[in-house]
Amino acid sequence: MTQTDAAAIPEQRAADARGPIMKVSKLTKHFPVRAGLLATKQNVRAVDGLEFEVGRGEALGLVGESGCGKTTTGRMLVRLLKPTAGEIVFDGKDITHLKGGSLRSLRQELQIIFQDPYSSLNPRHTVGAIVGMPLKVNKINPPGGVKKRVQELLELVGLNPEHYNRFPHEFSGGQRQRIGIARALALNPKMIIADEPVSALDVSIQAQVINLLRELQRELDLSFVFIAHDLSVVRHFCDRIAVMYLGKIVEVGDRVQIYEKPSHPYTKALLSAVPDVSKIGDKATGRIRLEGDVPTPINPPSGCRFRTRCWKATEKCATEEPPLVTTSTGATAACHYPETY
Amino acid sequence: MSTVTTGTPYLEVEDLKVHFKTEDGIVKAVDGVSFSVERGKTLGIVGESGSGKSVTSLTLLGLHNMRATTVTGRASVGGTDVVAAPHSTVQKMRGKDMAMIFQDPLTALHPYYSIGRQIVEAYRIHHKVSKEVALKRAVEMLDRVGIPEPQRRVKQYPHEFSGGMRQRAMIAMALVNDPDLIIADEPTTALDVTVQAQILDLLGDLQKEFNSAIIMITHDLGVITQIADDVLVMYGGRAVEKGTVEQVLRKPHHPYTWGLLNSVPSLHGDASEDLKPIPGNPPSLLNVPSGCAFHPRCAHAMLGGDGPCAKIRPELEVVQGLKNHTVACHLSEAVRATISDEVIEKVDA
Amino acid sequence: MLRFVVRRLLLIVLTLTVVSFGTFMLFFAAPSDPARILCGTRCQPAQIEAVRDGLGLDRPIMTQYVEYMGGIFAGRTLGEGDWAKDCSAPCFGYSYTQNQEVSEIVARALPVSASVAIGAWIIQTLISVSSGVIAARKRGTAVDRGTIAATLIGGALPIYFVGPMLLLIFRYQLEILPQPSYTPLLDDPLAFAGGMIMPWATLAIVGFAFDARLSRSQMLETLDEDFIRTSRAKGLKDRVVFWRHALRASATPLATSAGLGLGGLLGGAVVTESIFGLNGLGKLSLDAITARNLPIVMATVLIAATFVVFGTFIVDMLYAAIDPRVRLS
């Protein structure tokens, strides 16, 4: 495997001596719902006890299918949602319970980019106003003035700075996502949470935006949590990947560990389901087909949550929840019977 | 059900044009597209937003916006030209001769009617049977598309189904009248990958069983490799490359196809290198670039001096030695063949 | 479903409690002499004394409120000794200027207003929804353009213009309609309808524009939905697609608008009654406000609030009947 060497370079960057920029422990979010006619209140266990770290300058990928809790996690990380339990430490500070002014100043250092470039920009504001808004809200007057800073930002994300006075509808989807990125960068954040930043874009445009984000990460030494359902997109952007299933992390590893030697059966099945452009006609051979759908997070399966769809599941999987432990590949996985290579 | 014998295409589209009049000018959503599909075969139509791929399929069923729209050309479905046929004829063919599966099964199913009622309705449009008989048929179809406990689920509403189950129900409804042509418009785009795999397998199995012709519209080349026999690549309302999956994805001859193959992130190869995106944006159909619509984004465009790319619109021409493989490009065949090999080498890395 | 109904009913109780408490505070805890205000401007000193005594205004406001509310449900004795008066449920207090129980006065006015409001509501909803829906069906045709024009005109006309114009034309010029008046429905249905037709027409004309436009745009919006395209793709005739699938899907917002409109019509009825000289709640509360007859104002506010809240309740029930998704949540 020739790519192993090349892929190892980002890992070195990840191991920064300054320690992790973000450390998450036992992060949990339960949404109360009432189901059925009886008055019992139940919880949607959207996120259930996440543990992970993000190194400085590192891009951590958070992948999983719908309902796995990745989006909820992203919103908690920037404190758009309040965690039910657990702790988020960002840059040495516990931000789990921040309120009011200190929450606002957190937003200067920790930003989020959303999926939909159409609805996340106010159609009645000019691009200049949108990108400059974070500066105005936080009463920051950059050297040279807000306008100059906004034009620098537009240039940085590959937009024409002269389009300062245009409105969002005058831009294409990809350009709108660039505007969103420029807005996120306005306050010089240390870290960006990107929630499905390219999934609403055309294929030919996705690559443009991924390249832009990679470039920004290198130039500005940004840390990222990159949330996506598309495994190939994540592979091209992230140094380390955490795979989520039903509110839990089932495996964390670097690019090689996850994509070439997946330890957890779910990771393996997920990869196997992605159609491969270079393989024509092998419609059935060597593919793992998961049965059924993801179970409801209101009443997740006992023990290992993946066991209802897993071909390796035994009695033990129903009774004992597997802990996240280091596997033979060096990754961390929560499985009683991890894959071996 | 159909009088067409195997071997002749069930669907034949010739020089189809769909133009809308808008306040800003004429939108040439589809501008001269030809293709055909045999029973038992799947044609994949690939393109980005605004390529005209969805309008093409909606036009076949007469479901496009009729206001201020002109449709020309010929589209023969089982021998009937649906472009020339009166509205009522096309309406009677819908569901029976040609059925459609849509992208988002949540919005595509009526929220207030049970799954069973919607399938029963679809069946009774074309079969004079009692509701009880139709309901039995609905249960059978749900069972056939792999929905567990069909007796119980037939009474449920779309919101009580998961995304994958809804798409299965949608497929059951489309197939209830045993249509000869199935048009699937991005049927797996709204689904998770593991569910996408299930649905693609299901469509493949059902095709074998019902021997229907399928048009699979998608932006995802991976989906094409899994399910299609032939591919049509659309750009700016026109076909730029056409051929078997093997030809188009293993020996691509159009710069846009190269661009798509290069820009798609893959699960293999060197991930530390930047991706090679196609620069610029897909064209507006109001103002399609002159000559070859792709020339402003093409790295190989011949523009200066006598360069034809911005001046002359290339027509589809046969790629020598490859039967059925056609491409619309001014580059010389030798040049294209060399670049094609380079592109594929990268894809396989 | 039962849970859903029970929860909505509890919500109604809560809303009405809040409204009644707020109104009570506003009127009875006012800084001026409540007894004088309660009694009205043309009140004799002896009567003021009676009010003060009778209502026990020196007692804590909460106690007074609880007694007032208790009176509505169980009846109560107003005042003590010589001034004591028996007031049976529903007791809204006593109008000292008219020397009558408030409930008796209200009971005479309520049927009039209810007839105006409910009748106008039925007519308005039927006409406006059906013309909006038909306009959507015949989109772009003369029918559609005619409906839009009618809504433009109707929307620009105020009640105090339409009412007198109708009177002028149909009562005085053409002399084909009688002077509006109230006859109980069960006594003489024809006279009831004849006496009510002009108030109904006035409210329906003024309210037509909003509902008709809403129905039209709602239908057009629904026709753009994916599931409409699906039903056409199944091979259904356009007619069936429209009248079965699109209309059913539009029913929820239309029911909302119609249900909430009932509350609004009560407000319109107040003005209409004054124009046509009908002795309904509108006229009653207007008079009561001018005369500062607070027990009556209080009672009419409570009745109006009940109307609005029950309108909303009906909408909620319709929602559940129409939309299977509501039944579960």
Side-chain angles (χ1 to χ4, degrees), chain B residues 138-158:
Chain B
V139 173
E140 270 170 37
M141 285 309 297
L142 289 184
D143 189 40
R144 179 62 199 86
V145 298
I147 292 179
E149 300 180 78
Q151 290 282 5
R152 183 174 68 86
R153 305 221 67 169
V154 78
K155 297 188 199 99
Q156 291 187 328
Y157 292 89

Side-chain angles (χ1 to χ4, degrees), chain A residues 34-40, chain C residues 1-3 7 327-329:
Chain A
R34 285 169 190 278
L37 292 178
L38 300 165
T40 46
Chain C
M1 188 68 194
L2 186 68
R3 243 183 78 76
R7 264 174 58 192
R327 284 171 225 164
L328 286 169
S329 56

Side-chain angles (χ1 to χ4, degrees), chain B residues 8 36 56 62 91 138 262:
Chain B
T8 32
S36 61
T56 304
Q91 178 227 309
N262 273 334

